Amino acid sequence: MAAFTVLSTLPSVTSVVLIVSSVALCAAYYLHKKYSYWAKRGVPYVKPDSWFFGNTKEMIFQRESTTFMFARLYNELAGHKFGGYYRNHKPFLVLRDPELIRLIFVKNFSHFHDRNTPDERDFDPLSRHLLNLRGQRWKNVRYKLTPTFSSGKLKGMHELMQACILELDDYLTKATSGDSKDLNVQDLRELMAKFTTDVIGACAFGLNCNSIRDENSEFRRIGRLIFSFSWRSYIRAIVLTLAPGIVMATKWKSIRPEIENFFMSVLKGAVEHRKSHTEQKRNDFLQLLINIQAEERKQLESNRTQNGTQNGTQNGTQNGTQNGIQNGLQNGHAESVSEKSKDILFDDSVVASNAFIFFIAGFETTASTLSYCLYELALNPDIGEKLYEEVESVKQAHNGTLDYDAVNKELVYMEAVISETLRKYPPASVLGRRCNEAFQIPDTNVVIEEGVGVTVSVYGLHHDPQYFPEPEKFKPERFMGENKDKIVPGSYLPFGDGPRICIGMRFAHYEMKSVLSYIITNYTIHRCNKTVVPLQYDTRSVLHTPVGGVWVQFQKRLKL
């Protein structure tokens, strides 16, 4: 009898079926409505291949790299200037037309001034950097950091750069001096990452990272860790995509604790050393950050004192604090702030996060480009010889040396070689912006609504035969003379475009030209039994990363 009573209280099979069916129908209706966004607006779009992941299923399940997924979307929308796709159920727009890209990234930047990145500033101290900052705060920080990359500042880094090149010279000399051919076989990805880590450490932070000499360098270990796959980061990325509120509510940081603790410790030590050794004059990125912060705090105290004197001791403490910060920082091109000192533009977290992102971007993207460039020189020895002839010619005109001006202004063919490398292997293969103010695409009825993201597949553009014939061939001549003038504006975007173009672009070019001049002068680069043609890419990596490295053989150049 008791059993019968329990069974009678359970819902019938019919009820369960009805409930499940109703929920399924509601979910289907909701998703159908979401996935009708572009169709209702008459915008061509790529049909979603998943109810839950939209067009990103293959990337989410790591069967397709980020680079190739967006290149595929670019190609599937061939014949259109733009088209829609979906990340999960959210609508995004792919820009294919170079003129439209420049219209959005440059001419109408005020409508698209933010990137498609979540705002994690409230709980992640290393996220308040130029890549993530938004609106006026981004503008203010960018304005104050720009002087770091002036010609004068870069010239001042010449000796530091040369010291790192000498370390590389010592390493390669030893590697190519033995009889075994295995000694001079190098993984370019690893070798160039060691070099660029040392360069960034020396030129940006005044640190000796010792990555080339020490196989167990802590800086290099952390560098590998930053870009290595981890289930923690993978799961976080999925949760951030499907339910960003969970990441925000739990304050789930993007940077692993080990990486954050190491970098914060190193940065703190470097800053304290400088404060206790003021007689040592430095002219690097970290010093600029320290100087900016010191100037803001000095202005703050000055305004506090001034307002305190004017308003009386009792009211001065309260009003001087509020007005001092607000007036002082606004005069320094800062956004409106409150009376709390944490709202100072360059607080400790802004200093730390911008130092962190400069370290990451400074070593990885440059190392990647250098490794691809040397790889192509191994596959195309005729290009390597032509490059060698140019370097030798310029050196002879400057008494056997290359100063800053010679490197930047006279190595024309080298500039073309680097530009072609950046075309074929763009380090930033995808660009994204978020619409901050509704924008109607000219000559159409299509309005990009506030909050909608726009995407550019740089890899897709750079490999589009419409703009670069025979895109898989490595042809530096594309970027020389009349050919360079024929490149369609907006079709070549290795560093982005518009006001948010890469701030370290000039530094990267100078670094690459400097080290390539040294390598091509002293070595020839060849294929080896580990050289993979064509390269295969890691589908788990956000970056365009080859599987198993990029291997070549170095041989000491014989000079007559």
Side-chain angles (χ1 to χ4, degrees):
M1 189 68 179
F4 177 78
T5 303
V6 172
L7 288 173
S8 66
T9 62
L10 295 176
S12 66
V13 174
T14 303
S15 298
V16 172
V17 171
L18 286 173
I19 292 172
V20 172
S21 299
S22 298
V23 171
L25 285 172
C26 289
Y29 174 77
Y30 172 80
L31 291 173
H32 175 74
K33 185 177 180 180
K34 289 291 184 179
Y35 288 142
S36 300
Y37 183 89
W38 291 121
K40 289 180 178 179
R41 289 160 176 76
V43 175
Y45 66 98
V46 180
K47 186 177 180 180
D49 54 14
S50 167
W51 278 104
F52 295 101
F53 301 109
N55 299 102
T56 63
K57 181 181 72 175
E58 295 301 304
M59 182 185 71
I60 291 293
F61 288 104
Q62 301 183 334
R63 293 192 288 259
E64 186 176 38
S65 70
T66 302
T67 296
F68 288 136
M69 186 203 78
F70 283 104
R72 173 173 56 81
L73 294 175
Y74 175 92
N75 291 328
E76 289 185 28
L77 289 165
H80 302 285
K81 292 185 176 182
F82 56 88
Y85 75 99
Y86 296 91
R87 295 188 195 177
N88 305 319
H89 56 268
K90 296 180 181 179
F92 282 76
L93 198 68
V94 174
L95 306 179
R96 297 188 79 260
D97 178 59
E99 184 178 353
L100 178 59
I101 291 170
R102 285 190 56 80
L103 191 68
I104 286 178
F105 276 63
V106 184
K107 296 180 182 178
N108 290 278
F109 175 77
S110 60
H111 290 258
F112 301 89
H113 52 69
D114 294 338
R115 286 194 168 94
N116 289 322
T117 54
D119 190 353
E120 303 174 8
R121 291 177 297 166
D122 291 340
F123 63 87
D124 190 348
L126 291 183
S127 72
R128 302 178 67 186
H129 51 69
L130 278 178
L131 290 182
N132 286 345
L133 289 178
R134 300 180 176 186
Q136 188 64 31
R137 180 169 285 272
W138 163 81
K139 182 179 179 181
N140 299 333
V141 172
R142 171 94 182 199
Y143 174 85
K144 291 198 171 187
L145 292 182
T146 298
T148 307
F149 305 98
S150 66
S151 296
K153 289 288 198 310
L154 292 180
K155 282 184 179 181
M157 298 177 186
H158 181 76
E159 294 302 322
L160 293 172
M161 189 87 69
Q162 293 305 307
C164 294
I165 291 175
L166 288 177
E167 289 290 320
L168 180 64
D169 174 56
D170 183 64
Y171 173 85
L172 286 176
T173 298
K174 293 176 180 177
T176 56
S177 61
D179 295 331
S180 173
K181 290 185 178 180
D182 293 335
L183 286 174
N184 51 13
V185 172
Q186 300 289 328
D187 176 9
L188 292 172
R189 291 279 301 183
E190 182 63 19
L191 180 62
M192 291 299 101
K194 289 178 178 180
F195 168 73
T196 55
T197 298
D198 284 355
V199 169
I200 287 297
C203 295
F205 306 110
L207 299 172
N208 180 15
C209 296
N210 205 28
S211 298
I212 295 177
R213 287 183 177 271
D214 183 5
E215 287 293 328
N216 300 313
S217 166
E218 192 69 1
F219 281 93
R220 184 65 198 116
R221 186 185 73 81
I222 291 295
R224 293 190 199 99
L225 198 61
I226 291 171
F227 292 101
S228 64
F229 173 81
S230 77
W231 284 106
R232 174 193 178 277
S233 299
Y234 175 63
I235 294 172
R236 182 187 185 276
I238 293 178
V239 174
L240 184 63
T241 301
L242 296 176
I246 294 177
V247 173
M248 303 304 172
T250 58
K251 298 183 178 181
W252 191 350
K253 297 180 182 180
S254 60
I255 305 299
R256 300 182 220 181
E258 181 181 1
I259 296 171
E260 179 181 335
N261 293 338
F262 171 81
F263 193 82
M264 296 297 281
S265 174
V266 168
L267 187 63
K268 181 180 178 181
V271 172
E272 289 179 351
H273 176 80
R274 294 183 183 214
K275 289 181 178 179
S276 61
H277 294 78
T278 55
E279 74 282 357
Q280 297 178 0
K281 301 297 182 181
R282 297 186 182 274
N283 190 30
D284 53 26
F285 184 67
L286 179 57
Q287 192 60 49
L288 175 70
L289 293 174
I290 293 172
N291 293 344
I292 291 173
Q293 188 183 66
E295 289 170 6
E296 287 188 349
R297 288 176 173 173
K298 182 178 179 181
Q299 183 66 46
L300 174 63
E301 289 301 320
S302 175
N303 288 339
R304 279 177 175 172
T305 302
Q306 181 179 358
N307 284 300
T309 302
Q310 291 175 350
N311 299 325
T313 303
Q314 183 175 2
N315 296 329
T317 302
Q318 179 180 355
N319 296 334
T321 300
Q322 180 174 351
N323 297 332
I325 295 176
Q326 186 169 359
N327 295 335
L329 293 183
Q330 284 180 340
N331 290 336
H333 304 275
E335 64 179 323
S336 179
V337 295
S338 70
E339 72 275 7
K340 298 179 181 179
S341 61
K342 70 177 182 179
D343 286 327
I344 197 169
L345 184 60
F346 272 79
D347 60 18
D348 290 343
S349 66
V350 171
V351 170
S353 59
N354 280 287
F356 178 69
I357 200 65
F358 189 69
F359 173 75
I360 293 177
F363 90 80
E364 171 57 30
T365 56
T366 306
S368 173
T369 302
L370 285 170
S371 64
Y372 287 131
C373 184
L374 292 169
Y375 170 77
E376 287 290 347
L377 294 182
L379 302 185
N380 301 278
D382 55 323
I383 295 177
E385 286 307 301
K386 186 173 181 180
L387 193 58
Y388 169 72
E389 291 172 3
E390 179 187 65
V391 172
E392 285 298 296
S393 175
V394 174
K395 285 176 67 177
Q396 289 177 10
H398 291 269
N399 299 318
T401 62
L402 291 174
D403 60 15
Y404 173 85
D405 291 324
V407 168
N408 275 289
K409 299 177 182 179
E410 299 182 38
L411 296 175
V412 179
Y413 188 65
M414 180 173 287
E415 180 72 32
V417 169
I418 293 173
S419 295
E420 175 67 350
T421 303
L422 290 166
R423 180 202 66 81
K424 191 174 180 181
Y425 309 95
S429 60
V430 181
L431 301 176
R433 295 289 185 271
R434 178 179 176 272
C435 183
N436 305 105
E437 181 181 345
F439 176 78
Q440 183 171 345
I441 298 177
D443 303 321
T444 75
N445 294 321
V446 177
V447 175
I448 305 176
E449 296 180 332
E450 182 178 348
V452 172
V454 297
T455 303
V456 174
S457 171
V458 177
Y459 188 92
L461 275 169
H462 287 190
H463 287 77
D464 190 334
Q466 179 180 352
Y467 307 116
F468 300 98
E470 299 181 296
E472 296 308 315
K473 290 187 176 181
F474 190 78
K475 301 167 66 175
E477 288 73 22
R478 302 179 202 269
F479 294 91
M480 297 190 70
E482 294 181 356
N483 291 334
K484 185 176 181 180
D485 296 334
K486 293 178 182 177
I487 294 175
V488 178
S491 66
Y492 180 68
L493 305 168
F495 293 97
D497 203 356
R500 291 197 85 133
I501 196 168
C502 175
I503 194 172
M505 177 175 63
R506 295 174 66 188
F507 177 86
H509 268 277
Y510 172 55
E511 180 182 0
M512 288 189 287
K513 286 182 178 180
S514 296
V515 70
L516 285 174
S517 298
Y518 154 73
I519 291 175
I520 207 67
T521 297
N522 295 282
Y523 300 93
T524 55
I525 303 101
H526 308 270
R527 298 188 190 205
C528 65
N529 57 3
K530 289 187 176 181
T531 304
V532 177
V533 182
L535 294 170
Q536 302 299 313
Y537 295 94
D538 188 355
T539 58
R540 301 190 307 174
S541 176
V542 176
L543 302 176
H544 198 44
T545 307
V547 175
V550 181
W551 293 85
V552 300
Q553 183 184 63
F554 284 85
Q555 291 183 5
K556 197 73 175 178
R557 183 178 288 276
L558 299 177
K559 299 181 181 180
L560 300 178

PDB file of all heavy atoms in Angstrom, residues 189-216:
ATOM      1  N   ARG A 189      62.232  28.103 -33.349  1.00  0.00           N
ATOM      2  CA  ARG A 189      61.236  28.625 -32.412  1.00  0.00           C
ATOM      3  C   ARG A 189      61.852  28.818 -31.025  1.00  0.00           C
ATOM      4  O   ARG A 189      61.667  29.854 -30.388  1.00  0.00           O
ATOM      5  CB  ARG A 189      60.047  27.666 -32.309  1.00  0.00           C
ATOM      6  CG  ARG A 189      59.187  27.578 -33.538  1.00  0.00           C
ATOM      7  CD  ARG A 189      58.197  28.687 -33.651  1.00  0.00           C
ATOM      8  NE  ARG A 189      57.279  28.754 -32.539  1.00  0.00           N
ATOM      9  CZ  ARG A 189      56.289  29.626 -32.450  1.00  0.00           C
ATOM     10  NH1 ARG A 189      56.109  30.533 -33.390  1.00  0.00           N
ATOM     11  NH2 ARG A 189      55.477  29.640 -31.411  1.00  0.00           N
ATOM     12  N   GLU A 190      62.593  27.822 -30.584  1.00  0.00           N
ATOM     13  CA  GLU A 190      63.183  27.890 -29.248  1.00  0.00           C
ATOM     14  C   GLU A 190      64.361  28.856 -29.206  1.00  0.00           C
ATOM     15  O   GLU A 190      64.494  29.672 -28.289  1.00  0.00           O
ATOM     16  CB  GLU A 190      63.622  26.497 -28.802  1.00  0.00           C
ATOM     17  CG  GLU A 190      64.211  26.435 -27.409  1.00  0.00           C
ATOM     18  CD  GLU A 190      63.239  26.828 -26.319  1.00  0.00           C
ATOM     19  OE1 GLU A 190      62.000  26.821 -26.563  1.00  0.00           O
ATOM     20  OE2 GLU A 190      63.688  27.166 -25.200  1.00  0.00           O
ATOM     21  N   LEU A 191      65.226  28.790 -30.217  1.00  0.00           N
ATOM     22  CA  LEU A 191      66.409  29.650 -30.241  1.00  0.00           C
ATOM     23  C   LEU A 191      66.030  31.120 -30.298  1.00  0.00           C
ATOM     24  O   LEU A 191      66.575  31.950 -29.552  1.00  0.00           O
ATOM     25  CB  LEU A 191      67.295  29.284 -31.439  1.00  0.00           C
ATOM     26  CG  LEU A 191      68.582  30.107 -31.606  1.00  0.00           C
ATOM     27  CD1 LEU A 191      69.497  29.922 -30.408  1.00  0.00           C
ATOM     28  CD2 LEU A 191      69.300  29.725 -32.901  1.00  0.00           C
ATOM     29  N   MET A 192      65.107  31.466 -31.176  1.00  0.00           N
ATOM     30  CA  MET A 192      64.711  32.864 -31.305  1.00  0.00           C
ATOM     31  C   MET A 192      63.919  33.338 -30.083  1.00  0.00           C
ATOM     32  O   MET A 192      63.983  34.514 -29.711  1.00  0.00           O
ATOM     33  CB  MET A 192      63.893  33.063 -32.580  1.00  0.00           C
ATOM     34  CG  MET A 192      64.696  32.916 -33.862  1.00  0.00           C
ATOM     35  SD  MET A 192      66.053  34.139 -34.009  1.00  0.00           S
ATOM     36  CE  MET A 192      67.484  33.151 -33.536  1.00  0.00           C
ATOM     37  N   ALA A 193      63.176  32.440 -29.447  1.00  0.00           N
ATOM     38  CA  ALA A 193      62.461  32.823 -28.223  1.00  0.00           C
ATOM     39  C   ALA A 193      63.443  33.138 -27.105  1.00  0.00           C
ATOM     40  O   ALA A 193      63.222  34.062 -26.308  1.00  0.00           O
ATOM     41  CB  ALA A 193      61.505  31.711 -27.796  1.00  0.00           C
ATOM     42  N   LYS A 194      64.525  32.371 -27.030  1.00  0.00           N
ATOM     43  CA  LYS A 194      65.567  32.664 -26.031  1.00  0.00           C
ATOM     44  C   LYS A 194      66.177  34.039 -26.299  1.00  0.00           C
ATOM     45  O   LYS A 194      66.376  34.837 -25.371  1.00  0.00           O
ATOM     46  CB  LYS A 194      66.650  31.593 -26.074  1.00  0.00           C
ATOM     47  CG  LYS A 194      66.231  30.241 -25.534  1.00  0.00           C
ATOM     48  CD  LYS A 194      67.368  29.230 -25.667  1.00  0.00           C
ATOM     49  CE  LYS A 194      66.983  27.881 -25.078  1.00  0.00           C
ATOM     50  NZ  LYS A 194      68.076  26.901 -25.214  1.00  0.00           N
ATOM     51  N   PHE A 195      66.482  34.294 -27.560  1.00  0.00           N
ATOM     52  CA  PHE A 195      67.094  35.584 -27.916  1.00  0.00           C
ATOM     53  C   PHE A 195      66.156  36.747 -27.599  1.00  0.00           C
ATOM     54  O   PHE A 195      66.555  37.729 -26.952  1.00  0.00           O
ATOM     55  CB  PHE A 195      67.461  35.597 -29.401  1.00  0.00           C
ATOM     56  CG  PHE A 195      67.837  36.957 -29.921  1.00  0.00           C
ATOM     57  CD1 PHE A 195      69.056  37.535 -29.588  1.00  0.00           C
ATOM     58  CD2 PHE A 195      66.956  37.679 -30.719  1.00  0.00           C
ATOM     59  CE1 PHE A 195      69.395  38.804 -30.049  1.00  0.00           C
ATOM     60  CE2 PHE A 195      67.289  38.944 -31.185  1.00  0.00           C
ATOM     61  CZ  PHE A 195      68.508  39.507 -30.851  1.00  0.00           C
ATOM     62  N   THR A 196      64.906  36.660 -28.048  1.00  0.00           N
ATOM     63  CA  THR A 196      63.982  37.783 -27.840  1.00  0.00           C
ATOM     64  C   THR A 196      63.629  37.961 -26.363  1.00  0.00           C
ATOM     65  O   THR A 196      63.345  39.078 -25.917  1.00  0.00           O
ATOM     66  CB  THR A 196      62.694  37.594 -28.667  1.00  0.00           C
ATOM     67  OG1 THR A 196      62.096  36.327 -28.362  1.00  0.00           O
ATOM     68  CG2 THR A 196      62.999  37.666 -30.156  1.00  0.00           C
ATOM     69  N   THR A 197      63.652  36.877 -25.592  1.00  0.00           N
ATOM     70  CA  THR A 197      63.448  37.001 -24.142  1.00  0.00           C
ATOM     71  C   THR A 197      64.569  37.816 -23.524  1.00  0.00           C
ATOM     72  O   THR A 197      64.332  38.703 -22.687  1.00  0.00           O
ATOM     73  CB  THR A 197      63.379  35.610 -23.481  1.00  0.00           C
ATOM     74  OG1 THR A 197      62.263  34.895 -24.002  1.00  0.00           O
ATOM     75  CG2 THR A 197      63.238  35.738 -21.967  1.00  0.00           C
ATOM     76  N   ASP A 198      65.796  37.533 -23.936  1.00  0.00           N
ATOM     77  CA  ASP A 198      66.933  38.304 -23.422  1.00  0.00           C
ATOM     78  C   ASP A 198      66.864  39.765 -23.850  1.00  0.00           C
ATOM     79  O   ASP A 198      67.192  40.670 -23.070  1.00  0.00           O
ATOM     80  CB  ASP A 198      68.246  37.679 -23.919  1.00  0.00           C
ATOM     81  CG  ASP A 198      68.605  36.411 -23.152  1.00  0.00           C
ATOM     82  OD1 ASP A 198      67.899  36.079 -22.184  1.00  0.00           O
ATOM     83  OD2 ASP A 198      69.590  35.752 -23.528  1.00  0.00           O
ATOM     84  N   VAL A 199      66.424  40.004 -25.089  1.00  0.00           N
ATOM     85  CA  VAL A 199      66.319  41.386 -25.586  1.00  0.00           C
ATOM     86  C   VAL A 199      65.276  42.166 -24.794  1.00  0.00           C
ATOM     87  O   VAL A 199      65.532  43.294 -24.347  1.00  0.00           O
ATOM     88  CB  VAL A 199      65.971  41.402 -27.087  1.00  0.00           C
ATOM     89  CG1 VAL A 199      65.602  42.822 -27.538  1.00  0.00           C
ATOM     90  CG2 VAL A 199      67.143  40.893 -27.911  1.00  0.00           C
ATOM     91  N   ILE A 200      64.104  41.583 -24.612  1.00  0.00           N
ATOM     92  CA  ILE A 200      63.054  42.264 -23.863  1.00  0.00           C
ATOM     93  C   ILE A 200      63.483  42.494 -22.416  1.00  0.00           C
ATOM     94  O   ILE A 200      63.261  43.557 -21.838  1.00  0.00           O
ATOM     95  CB  ILE A 200      61.742  41.462 -23.911  1.00  0.00           C
ATOM     96  CG1 ILE A 200      61.114  41.588 -25.297  1.00  0.00           C
ATOM     97  CG2 ILE A 200      60.761  41.928 -22.859  1.00  0.00           C
ATOM     98  CD1 ILE A 200      60.706  43.008 -25.660  1.00  0.00           C
ATOM     99  N   GLY A 201      64.124  41.486 -21.828  1.00  0.00           N
ATOM    100  CA  GLY A 201      64.603  41.648 -20.455  1.00  0.00           C
ATOM    101  C   GLY A 201      65.567  42.799 -20.318  1.00  0.00           C
ATOM    102  O   GLY A 201      65.463  43.612 -19.382  1.00  0.00           O
ATOM    103  N   ALA A 202      66.508  42.909 -21.278  1.00  0.00           N
ATOM    104  CA  ALA A 202      67.536  43.950 -21.205  1.00  0.00           C
ATOM    105  C   ALA A 202      66.994  45.322 -21.594  1.00  0.00           C
ATOM    106  O   ALA A 202      67.218  46.314 -20.887  1.00  0.00           O
ATOM    107  CB  ALA A 202      68.711  43.573 -22.107  1.00  0.00           C
ATOM    108  N   CYS A 203      66.284  45.386 -22.728  1.00  0.00           N
ATOM    109  CA  CYS A 203      65.858  46.683 -23.264  1.00  0.00           C
ATOM    110  C   CYS A 203      64.631  47.258 -22.575  1.00  0.00           C
ATOM    111  O   CYS A 203      64.462  48.479 -22.530  1.00  0.00           O
ATOM    112  CB  CYS A 203      65.579  46.557 -24.767  1.00  0.00           C
ATOM    113  SG  CYS A 203      67.031  46.160 -25.760  1.00  0.00           S
ATOM    114  N   ALA A 204      63.776  46.398 -22.054  1.00  0.00           N
ATOM    115  CA  ALA A 204      62.542  46.893 -21.445  1.00  0.00           C
ATOM    116  C   ALA A 204      62.611  46.977 -19.933  1.00  0.00           C
ATOM    117  O   ALA A 204      62.006  47.860 -19.326  1.00  0.00           O
ATOM    118  CB  ALA A 204      61.370  46.001 -21.849  1.00  0.00           C
ATOM    119  N   PHE A 205      63.383  46.050 -19.299  1.00  0.00           N
ATOM    120  CA  PHE A 205      63.346  45.990 -17.841  1.00  0.00           C
ATOM    121  C   PHE A 205      64.719  46.026 -17.183  1.00  0.00           C
ATOM    122  O   PHE A 205      64.814  45.968 -15.956  1.00  0.00           O
ATOM    123  CB  PHE A 205      62.617  44.717 -17.406  1.00  0.00           C
ATOM    124  CG  PHE A 205      61.252  44.584 -18.011  1.00  0.00           C
ATOM    125  CD1 PHE A 205      60.989  43.612 -18.966  1.00  0.00           C
ATOM    126  CD2 PHE A 205      60.230  45.441 -17.659  1.00  0.00           C
ATOM    127  CE1 PHE A 205      59.735  43.500 -19.540  1.00  0.00           C
ATOM    128  CE2 PHE A 205      58.982  45.339 -18.220  1.00  0.00           C
ATOM    129  CZ  PHE A 205      58.726  44.365 -19.164  1.00  0.00           C
ATOM    130  N   GLY A 206      65.773  46.111 -17.980  1.00  0.00           N
ATOM    131  CA  GLY A 206      67.104  46.168 -17.396  1.00  0.00           C
ATOM    132  C   GLY A 206      67.493  44.894 -16.680  1.00  0.00           C
ATOM    133  O   GLY A 206      68.293  44.919 -15.738  1.00  0.00           O
ATOM    134  N   LEU A 207      66.959  43.748 -17.134  1.00  0.00           N
ATOM    135  CA  LEU A 207      67.219  42.468 -16.478  1.00  0.00           C
ATOM    136  C   LEU A 207      68.064  41.555 -17.367  1.00  0.00           C
ATOM    137  O   LEU A 207      67.945  41.586 -18.594  1.00  0.00           O
ATOM    138  CB  LEU A 207      65.892  41.756 -16.168  1.00  0.00           C
ATOM    139  CG  LEU A 207      64.926  42.487 -15.235  1.00  0.00           C
ATOM    140  CD1 LEU A 207      63.602  41.748 -15.181  1.00  0.00           C
ATOM    141  CD2 LEU A 207      65.524  42.619 -13.837  1.00  0.00           C
ATOM    142  N   ASN A 208      68.879  40.753 -16.742  1.00  0.00           N
ATOM    143  CA  ASN A 208      69.645  39.738 -17.469  1.00  0.00           C
ATOM    144  C   ASN A 208      68.898  38.416 -17.364  1.00  0.00           C
ATOM    145  O   ASN A 208      69.025  37.697 -16.370  1.00  0.00           O
ATOM    146  CB  ASN A 208      71.054  39.613 -16.883  1.00  0.00           C
ATOM    147  CG  ASN A 208      71.879  38.568 -17.613  1.00  0.00           C
ATOM    148  OD1 ASN A 208      71.519  38.130 -18.710  1.00  0.00           O
ATOM    149  ND2 ASN A 208      72.982  38.144 -17.006  1.00  0.00           N
ATOM    150  N   CYS A 209      68.130  38.078 -18.373  1.00  0.00           N
ATOM    151  CA  CYS A 209      67.330  36.853 -18.338  1.00  0.00           C
ATOM    152  C   CYS A 209      68.174  35.606 -18.568  1.00  0.00           C
ATOM    153  O   CYS A 209      67.787  34.511 -18.159  1.00  0.00           O
ATOM    154  CB  CYS A 209      66.223  36.920 -19.387  1.00  0.00           C
ATOM    155  SG  CYS A 209      65.026  38.243 -19.093  1.00  0.00           S
ATOM    156  N   ASN A 210      69.310  35.775 -19.269  1.00  0.00           N
ATOM    157  CA  ASN A 210      70.270  34.680 -19.451  1.00  0.00           C
ATOM    158  C   ASN A 210      69.637  33.447 -20.099  1.00  0.00           C
ATOM    159  O   ASN A 210      69.998  32.314 -19.785  1.00  0.00           O
ATOM    160  CB  ASN A 210      70.884  34.292 -18.096  1.00  0.00           C
ATOM    161  CG  ASN A 210      72.238  33.641 -18.247  1.00  0.00           C
ATOM    162  OD1 ASN A 210      72.961  33.899 -19.208  1.00  0.00           O
ATOM    163  ND2 ASN A 210      72.595  32.784 -17.305  1.00  0.00           N
ATOM    164  N   SER A 211      68.705  33.660 -21.015  1.00  0.00           N
ATOM    165  CA  SER A 211      67.994  32.537 -21.623  1.00  0.00           C
ATOM    166  C   SER A 211      68.853  31.757 -22.609  1.00  0.00           C
ATOM    167  O   SER A 211      68.708  30.535 -22.735  1.00  0.00           O
ATOM    168  CB  SER A 211      66.739  33.044 -22.336  1.00  0.00           C
ATOM    169  OG  SER A 211      65.854  33.652 -21.430  1.00  0.00           O
ATOM    170  N   ILE A 212      69.741  32.439 -23.326  1.00  0.00           N
ATOM    171  CA  ILE A 212      70.569  31.771 -24.324  1.00  0.00           C
ATOM    172  C   ILE A 212      71.615  30.881 -23.664  1.00  0.00           C
ATOM    173  O   ILE A 212      71.821  29.735 -24.066  1.00  0.00           O
ATOM    174  CB  ILE A 212      71.231  32.800 -25.252  1.00  0.00           C
ATOM    175  CG1 ILE A 212      70.159  33.539 -26.077  1.00  0.00           C
ATOM    176  CG2 ILE A 212      72.237  32.126 -26.179  1.00  0.00           C
ATOM    177  CD1 ILE A 212      70.712  34.628 -26.962  1.00  0.00           C
ATOM    178  N   ARG A 213      72.258  31.390 -22.628  1.00  0.00           N
ATOM    179  CA  ARG A 213      73.332  30.639 -21.972  1.00  0.00           C
ATOM    180  C   ARG A 213      72.801  29.528 -21.063  1.00  0.00           C
ATOM    181  O   ARG A 213      73.410  28.463 -20.954  1.00  0.00           O
ATOM    182  CB  ARG A 213      74.214  31.590 -21.151  1.00  0.00           C
ATOM    183  CG  ARG A 213      75.119  32.482 -21.979  1.00  0.00           C
ATOM    184  CD  ARG A 213      75.994  33.330 -21.071  1.00  0.00           C
ATOM    185  NE  ARG A 213      76.916  34.149 -21.842  1.00  0.00           N
ATOM    186  CZ  ARG A 213      78.128  33.745 -22.226  1.00  0.00           C
ATOM    187  NH1 ARG A 213      78.533  32.521 -21.913  1.00  0.00           N
ATOM    188  NH2 ARG A 213      78.917  34.551 -22.913  1.00  0.00           N
ATOM    189  N   ASP A 214      71.691  29.796 -20.415  1.00  0.00           N
ATOM    190  CA  ASP A 214      71.203  28.878 -19.392  1.00  0.00           C
ATOM    191  C   ASP A 214      69.969  28.126 -19.896  1.00  0.00           C
ATOM    192  O   ASP A 214      68.898  28.707 -20.086  1.00  0.00           O
ATOM    193  CB  ASP A 214      70.856  29.654 -18.120  1.00  0.00           C
ATOM    194  CG  ASP A 214      70.412  28.743 -16.981  1.00  0.00           C
ATOM    195  OD1 ASP A 214      70.470  27.516 -17.148  1.00  0.00           O
ATOM    196  OD2 ASP A 214      70.011  29.282 -15.931  1.00  0.00           O
ATOM    197  N   GLU A 215      70.104  26.824 -20.121  1.00  0.00           N
ATOM    198  CA  GLU A 215      68.985  26.011 -20.587  1.00  0.00           C
ATOM    199  C   GLU A 215      67.853  25.985 -19.566  1.00  0.00           C
ATOM    200  O   GLU A 215      66.699  25.731 -19.914  1.00  0.00           O
ATOM    201  CB  GLU A 215      69.459  24.584 -20.863  1.00  0.00           C
ATOM    202  CG  GLU A 215      70.304  24.436 -22.111  1.00  0.00           C
ATOM    203  CD  GLU A 215      69.505  24.702 -23.382  1.00  0.00           C
ATOM    204  OE1 GLU A 215      68.298  24.413 -23.390  1.00  0.00           O
ATOM    205  OE2 GLU A 215      70.085  25.200 -24.359  1.00  0.00           O
ATOM    206  N   ASN A 216      68.179  26.226 -18.306  1.00  0.00           N
ATOM    207  CA  ASN A 216      67.183  26.190 -17.244  1.00  0.00           C
ATOM    208  C   ASN A 216      66.760  27.575 -16.787  1.00  0.00           C
ATOM    209  O   ASN A 216      66.285  27.751 -15.659  1.00  0.00           O
ATOM    210  CB  ASN A 216      67.728  25.396 -16.049  1.00  0.00           C
ATOM    211  CG  ASN A 216      68.075  23.968 -16.411  1.00  0.00           C
ATOM    212  OD1 ASN A 216      67.283  23.277 -17.058  1.00  0.00           O
ATOM    213  ND2 ASN A 216      69.263  23.510 -16.022  1.00  0.00           N
TER     214      ASN A 216
END
